[in-house]
PDB file of all heavy atoms in Angstrom:
ATOM      1  N   LYS Y 864      55.853 -14.488 -63.166  1.00 96.00           N
ATOM      2  CA  LYS Y 864      56.343 -15.625 -62.365  1.00 96.00           C
ATOM      3  C   LYS Y 864      57.180 -15.107 -61.188  1.00 96.00           C
ATOM      4  O   LYS Y 864      57.059 -15.583 -60.059  1.00 96.00           O
ATOM      5  CB  LYS Y 864      57.210 -16.552 -63.228  1.00 96.00           C
ATOM      6  CG  LYS Y 864      56.425 -17.375 -64.234  1.00 96.00           C
ATOM      7  CD  LYS Y 864      57.378 -18.278 -64.991  1.00 96.00           C
ATOM      8  CE  LYS Y 864      56.720 -18.934 -66.175  1.00 96.00           C
ATOM      9  NZ  LYS Y 864      57.671 -19.654 -67.034  1.00 96.00           N
ATOM     10  N   GLN Y 865      58.051 -14.134 -61.496  1.00 97.00           N
ATOM     11  CA  GLN Y 865      58.936 -13.586 -60.459  1.00 97.00           C
ATOM     12  C   GLN Y 865      58.119 -12.967 -59.315  1.00 97.00           C
ATOM     13  O   GLN Y 865      58.402 -13.208 -58.135  1.00 97.00           O
ATOM     14  CB  GLN Y 865      59.839 -12.524 -61.097  1.00 97.00           C
ATOM     15  CG  GLN Y 865      60.861 -11.927 -60.157  1.00 97.00           C
ATOM     16  CD  GLN Y 865      61.490 -10.672 -60.760  1.00 97.00           C
ATOM     17  OE1 GLN Y 865      60.802  -9.835 -61.352  1.00 97.00           O
ATOM     18  NE2 GLN Y 865      62.800 -10.551 -60.614  1.00 97.00           N
ATOM     19  N   TRP Y 866      57.105 -12.195 -59.693  1.00 98.00           N
ATOM     20  CA  TRP Y 866      56.325 -11.515 -58.640  1.00 98.00           C
ATOM     21  C   TRP Y 866      55.522 -12.524 -57.831  1.00 98.00           C
ATOM     22  O   TRP Y 866      55.470 -12.459 -56.600  1.00 98.00           O
ATOM     23  CB  TRP Y 866      55.439 -10.419 -59.239  1.00 98.00           C
ATOM     24  CG  TRP Y 866      54.998  -9.411 -58.202  1.00 98.00           C
ATOM     25  CD1 TRP Y 866      55.530  -9.232 -56.946  1.00 98.00           C
ATOM     26  CD2 TRP Y 866      53.939  -8.462 -58.313  1.00 98.00           C
ATOM     27  NE1 TRP Y 866      54.875  -8.216 -56.281  1.00 98.00           N
ATOM     28  CE2 TRP Y 866      53.892  -7.726 -57.100  1.00 98.00           C
ATOM     29  CE3 TRP Y 866      53.040  -8.136 -59.324  1.00 98.00           C
ATOM     30  CZ2 TRP Y 866      52.972  -6.700 -56.868  1.00 98.00           C
ATOM     31  CZ3 TRP Y 866      52.125  -7.106 -59.098  1.00 98.00           C
ATOM     32  CH2 TRP Y 866      52.099  -6.396 -57.881  1.00 98.00           C
ATOM     33  N   LEU Y 867      54.906 -13.501 -58.526  1.00 97.00           N
ATOM     34  CA  LEU Y 867      54.115 -14.511 -57.813  1.00 97.00           C
ATOM     35  C   LEU Y 867      54.986 -15.277 -56.815  1.00 97.00           C
ATOM     36  O   LEU Y 867      54.570 -15.599 -55.704  1.00 97.00           O
ATOM     37  CB  LEU Y 867      53.463 -15.483 -58.796  1.00 97.00           C
ATOM     38  CG  LEU Y 867      52.299 -14.917 -59.627  1.00 97.00           C
ATOM     39  CD1 LEU Y 867      51.837 -15.929 -60.675  1.00 97.00           C
ATOM     40  CD2 LEU Y 867      51.114 -14.510 -58.745  1.00 97.00           C
ATOM     41  N   LYS Y 868      56.212 -15.564 -57.225  1.00 97.00           N
ATOM     42  CA  LYS Y 868      57.141 -16.299 -56.351  1.00 97.00           C
ATOM     43  C   LYS Y 868      57.365 -15.514 -55.047  1.00 97.00           C
ATOM     44  O   LYS Y 868      57.321 -16.066 -53.960  1.00 97.00           O
ATOM     45  CB  LYS Y 868      58.453 -16.483 -57.113  1.00 97.00           C
ATOM     46  CG  LYS Y 868      59.353 -17.524 -56.564  1.00 97.00           C
ATOM     47  CD  LYS Y 868      59.003 -18.911 -57.096  1.00 97.00           C
ATOM     48  CE  LYS Y 868      59.798 -19.958 -56.389  1.00 97.00           C
ATOM     49  NZ  LYS Y 868      58.997 -20.960 -55.722  1.00 97.00           N
ATOM     50  N   PHE Y 869      57.600 -14.219 -55.196  1.00 98.00           N
ATOM     51  CA  PHE Y 869      57.787 -13.378 -54.001  1.00 98.00           C
ATOM     52  C   PHE Y 869      56.506 -13.285 -53.182  1.00 98.00           C
ATOM     53  O   PHE Y 869      56.523 -13.398 -51.958  1.00 98.00           O
ATOM     54  CB  PHE Y 869      58.242 -11.968 -54.408  1.00 98.00           C
ATOM     55  CG  PHE Y 869      59.727 -11.798 -54.417  1.00 98.00           C
ATOM     56  CD1 PHE Y 869      60.473 -12.174 -55.513  1.00 98.00           C
ATOM     57  CD2 PHE Y 869      60.385 -11.251 -53.321  1.00 98.00           C
ATOM     58  CE1 PHE Y 869      61.842 -12.031 -55.531  1.00 98.00           C
ATOM     59  CE2 PHE Y 869      61.763 -11.095 -53.325  1.00 98.00           C
ATOM     60  CZ  PHE Y 869      62.494 -11.481 -54.433  1.00 98.00           C
ATOM     61  N   LEU Y 870      55.377 -13.071 -53.881  1.00 98.00           N
ATOM     62  CA  LEU Y 870      54.098 -12.929 -53.169  1.00 98.00           C
ATOM     63  C   LEU Y 870      53.766 -14.200 -52.390  1.00 98.00           C
ATOM     64  O   LEU Y 870      53.056 -14.155 -51.384  1.00 98.00           O
ATOM     65  CB  LEU Y 870      52.973 -12.606 -54.164  1.00 98.00           C
ATOM     66  CG  LEU Y 870      53.008 -11.212 -54.804  1.00 98.00           C
ATOM     67  CD1 LEU Y 870      51.937 -11.087 -55.893  1.00 98.00           C
ATOM     68  CD2 LEU Y 870      52.802 -10.119 -53.753  1.00 98.00           C
ATOM     69  N   GLY Y 871      54.293 -15.336 -52.883  1.00 98.00           N
ATOM     70  CA  GLY Y 871      54.058 -16.620 -52.211  1.00 98.00           C
ATOM     71  C   GLY Y 871      54.522 -16.620 -50.761  1.00 98.00           C
ATOM     72  O   GLY Y 871      54.073 -17.432 -49.958  1.00 98.00           O
ATOM     73  N   ARG Y 872      55.414 -15.718 -50.393  1.00 97.00           N
ATOM     74  CA  ARG Y 872      55.838 -15.624 -48.986  1.00 97.00           C
ATOM     75  C   ARG Y 872      54.679 -15.232 -48.079  1.00 97.00           C
ATOM     76  O   ARG Y 872      54.681 -15.530 -46.901  1.00 97.00           O
ATOM     77  CB  ARG Y 872      56.944 -14.569 -48.823  1.00 97.00           C
ATOM     78  CG  ARG Y 872      58.281 -14.988 -49.360  1.00 97.00           C
ATOM     79  CD  ARG Y 872      59.295 -13.883 -49.116  1.00 97.00           C
ATOM     80  NE  ARG Y 872      59.703 -13.837 -47.717  1.00 97.00           N
ATOM     81  CZ  ARG Y 872      60.883 -14.194 -47.262  1.00 97.00           C
ATOM     82  NH1 ARG Y 872      61.814 -14.609 -48.100  1.00 97.00           N
ATOM     83  NH2 ARG Y 872      61.175 -14.129 -45.982  1.00 97.00           N
ATOM     84  N   ASN Y 873      53.738 -14.470 -48.665  1.00 97.00           N
ATOM     85  CA  ASN Y 873      52.620 -13.964 -47.859  1.00 97.00           C
ATOM     86  C   ASN Y 873      51.249 -14.453 -48.300  1.00 97.00           C
ATOM     87  O   ASN Y 873      50.290 -14.299 -47.557  1.00 97.00           O
ATOM     88  CB  ASN Y 873      52.624 -12.428 -47.884  1.00 97.00           C
ATOM     89  CG  ASN Y 873      53.845 -11.859 -47.189  1.00 97.00           C
ATOM     90  OD1 ASN Y 873      54.085 -12.155 -46.025  1.00 97.00           O
ATOM     91  ND2 ASN Y 873      54.641 -11.089 -47.914  1.00 97.00           N
ATOM     92  N   TYR Y 874      51.164 -14.976 -49.527  1.00 97.00           N
ATOM     93  CA  TYR Y 874      49.853 -15.389 -50.057  1.00 97.00           C
ATOM     94  C   TYR Y 874      49.978 -16.810 -50.596  1.00 97.00           C
ATOM     95  O   TYR Y 874      50.692 -17.030 -51.592  1.00 97.00           O
ATOM     96  CB  TYR Y 874      49.414 -14.467 -51.210  1.00 97.00           C
ATOM     97  CG  TYR Y 874      49.195 -13.035 -50.796  1.00 97.00           C
ATOM     98  CD1 TYR Y 874      50.243 -12.108 -50.804  1.00 97.00           C
ATOM     99  CD2 TYR Y 874      47.924 -12.594 -50.416  1.00 97.00           C
ATOM    100  CE1 TYR Y 874      50.045 -10.790 -50.422  1.00 97.00           C
ATOM    101  CE2 TYR Y 874      47.710 -11.267 -50.038  1.00 97.00           C
ATOM    102  CZ  TYR Y 874      48.771 -10.375 -50.045  1.00 97.00           C
ATOM    103  OH  TYR Y 874      48.570  -9.068 -49.671  1.00 97.00           O
ATOM    104  N   THR Y 875      49.269 -17.760 -49.961  1.00 97.00           N
ATOM    105  CA  THR Y 875      49.322 -19.142 -50.476  1.00 97.00           C
ATOM    106  C   THR Y 875      48.737 -19.187 -51.889  1.00 97.00           C
ATOM    107  O   THR Y 875      49.150 -19.992 -52.718  1.00 97.00           O
ATOM    108  CB  THR Y 875      48.522 -20.112 -49.569  1.00 97.00           C
ATOM    109  OG1 THR Y 875      47.272 -19.500 -49.298  1.00 97.00           O
ATOM    110  CG2 THR Y 875      49.238 -20.413 -48.279  1.00 97.00           C
ATOM    111  N   GLU Y 876      47.762 -18.285 -52.168  1.00 96.00           N
ATOM    112  CA  GLU Y 876      47.147 -18.247 -53.509  1.00 96.00           C
ATOM    113  C   GLU Y 876      48.203 -17.957 -54.581  1.00 96.00           C
ATOM    114  O   GLU Y 876      48.102 -18.433 -55.718  1.00 96.00           O
ATOM    115  CB  GLU Y 876      46.070 -17.158 -53.594  1.00 96.00           C
ATOM    116  CG  GLU Y 876      44.894 -17.340 -52.657  1.00 96.00           C
ATOM    117  CD  GLU Y 876      45.085 -16.581 -51.345  1.00 96.00           C
ATOM    118  OE1 GLU Y 876      46.252 -16.414 -50.914  1.00 96.00           O
ATOM    119  OE2 GLU Y 876      44.080 -16.175 -50.747  1.00 96.00           O
ATOM    120  N   ALA Y 877      49.197 -17.173 -54.218  1.00 96.00           N
ATOM    121  CA  ALA Y 877      50.240 -16.826 -55.195  1.00 96.00           C
ATOM    122  C   ALA Y 877      51.077 -18.059 -55.528  1.00 96.00           C
ATOM    123  O   ALA Y 877      51.488 -18.250 -56.686  1.00 96.00           O
ATOM    124  CB  ALA Y 877      51.130 -15.706 -54.652  1.00 96.00           C
ATOM    125  N   ASP Y 878      51.304 -18.915 -54.534  1.00 95.00           N
ATOM    126  CA  ASP Y 878      52.039 -20.164 -54.782  1.00 95.00           C
ATOM    127  C   ASP Y 878      51.263 -21.053 -55.743  1.00 95.00           C
ATOM    128  O   ASP Y 878      51.830 -21.643 -56.666  1.00 95.00           O
ATOM    129  CB  ASP Y 878      52.226 -20.932 -53.464  1.00 95.00           C
ATOM    130  CG  ASP Y 878      53.482 -20.504 -52.743  1.00 95.00           C
ATOM    131  OD1 ASP Y 878      54.376 -19.938 -53.414  1.00 95.00           O
ATOM    132  OD2 ASP Y 878      53.566 -20.714 -51.524  1.00 95.00           O
ATOM    133  N   VAL Y 879      49.950 -21.130 -55.512  1.00 94.00           N
ATOM    134  CA  VAL Y 879      49.094 -21.948 -56.383  1.00 94.00           C
ATOM    135  C   VAL Y 879      49.124 -21.373 -57.797  1.00 94.00           C
ATOM    136  O   VAL Y 879      49.289 -22.107 -58.790  1.00 94.00           O
ATOM    137  CB  VAL Y 879      47.631 -21.982 -55.840  1.00 94.00           C
ATOM    138  CG1 VAL Y 879      46.722 -22.747 -56.785  1.00 94.00           C
ATOM    139  CG2 VAL Y 879      47.608 -22.581 -54.441  1.00 94.00           C
ATOM    140  N   ALA Y 880      49.000 -20.057 -57.903  1.00 93.00           N
ATOM    141  CA  ALA Y 880      49.009 -19.399 -59.217  1.00 93.00           C
ATOM    142  C   ALA Y 880      50.350 -19.646 -59.911  1.00 93.00           C
ATOM    143  O   ALA Y 880      50.397 -19.941 -61.121  1.00 93.00           O
ATOM    144  CB  ALA Y 880      48.769 -17.906 -59.047  1.00 93.00           C
ATOM    145  N   PHE Y 881      51.429 -19.565 -59.138  1.00 94.00           N
ATOM    146  CA  PHE Y 881      52.757 -19.801 -59.723  1.00 94.00           C
ATOM    147  C   PHE Y 881      52.839 -21.213 -60.300  1.00 94.00           C
ATOM    148  O   PHE Y 881      53.325 -21.411 -61.419  1.00 94.00           O
ATOM    149  CB  PHE Y 881      53.855 -19.577 -58.677  1.00 94.00           C
ATOM    150  CG  PHE Y 881      55.223 -19.872 -59.202  1.00 94.00           C
ATOM    151  CD1 PHE Y 881      55.895 -18.945 -59.993  1.00 94.00           C
ATOM    152  CD2 PHE Y 881      55.846 -21.090 -58.938  1.00 94.00           C
ATOM    153  CE1 PHE Y 881      57.157 -19.224 -60.502  1.00 94.00           C
ATOM    154  CE2 PHE Y 881      57.107 -21.378 -59.446  1.00 94.00           C
ATOM    155  CZ  PHE Y 881      57.760 -20.440 -60.231  1.00 94.00           C
ATOM    156  N   SER Y 882      52.339 -22.188 -59.536  1.00 93.00           N
ATOM    157  CA  SER Y 882      52.462 -23.576 -60.026  1.00 93.00           C
ATOM    158  C   SER Y 882      51.642 -23.780 -61.301  1.00 93.00           C
ATOM    159  O   SER Y 882      51.983 -24.619 -62.124  1.00 93.00           O
ATOM    160  CB  SER Y 882      52.110 -24.586 -58.943  1.00 93.00           C
ATOM    161  OG  SER Y 882      50.799 -24.370 -58.529  1.00 93.00           O
ATOM    162  N   LYS Y 883      50.585 -22.968 -61.474  1.00 90.00           N
ATOM    163  CA  LYS Y 883      49.780 -23.096 -62.702  1.00 90.00           C
ATOM    164  C   LYS Y 883      50.520 -22.589 -63.936  1.00 90.00           C
ATOM    165  O   LYS Y 883      50.268 -23.047 -65.050  1.00 90.00           O
ATOM    166  CB  LYS Y 883      48.483 -22.288 -62.572  1.00 90.00           C
ATOM    167  CG  LYS Y 883      47.431 -22.949 -61.711  1.00 90.00           C
ATOM    168  CD  LYS Y 883      46.139 -22.144 -61.788  1.00 90.00           C
ATOM    169  CE  LYS Y 883      45.156 -22.672 -60.759  1.00 90.00           C
ATOM    170  NZ  LYS Y 883      44.089 -21.728 -60.462  1.00 90.00           N
ATOM    171  N   ILE Y 884      51.386 -21.614 -63.751  1.00 89.00           N
ATOM    172  CA  ILE Y 884      52.002 -21.004 -64.946  1.00 89.00           C
ATOM    173  C   ILE Y 884      53.497 -21.298 -65.072  1.00 89.00           C
ATOM    174  O   ILE Y 884      54.116 -20.919 -66.072  1.00 89.00           O
ATOM    175  CB  ILE Y 884      51.786 -19.468 -64.992  1.00 89.00           C
ATOM    176  CG1 ILE Y 884      52.497 -18.768 -63.822  1.00 89.00           C
ATOM    177  CG2 ILE Y 884      50.310 -19.109 -65.044  1.00 89.00           C
ATOM    178  CD1 ILE Y 884      52.625 -17.283 -64.028  1.00 89.00           C
TER     179      ILE Y 884
END
Side-chain angles (χ1 to χ4, degrees):
K864 287 182 191 172
Q865 183 193 42
W866 199 15
L867 288 174
K868 197 85 188 122
F869 267 84
L870 290 173
R872 287 181 75 109
N873 294 303
Y874 296 88
T875 47
E876 298 94 330
D878 272 339
V879 176
F881 177 80
S882 60
K883 283 187 189 162
I884 65 165

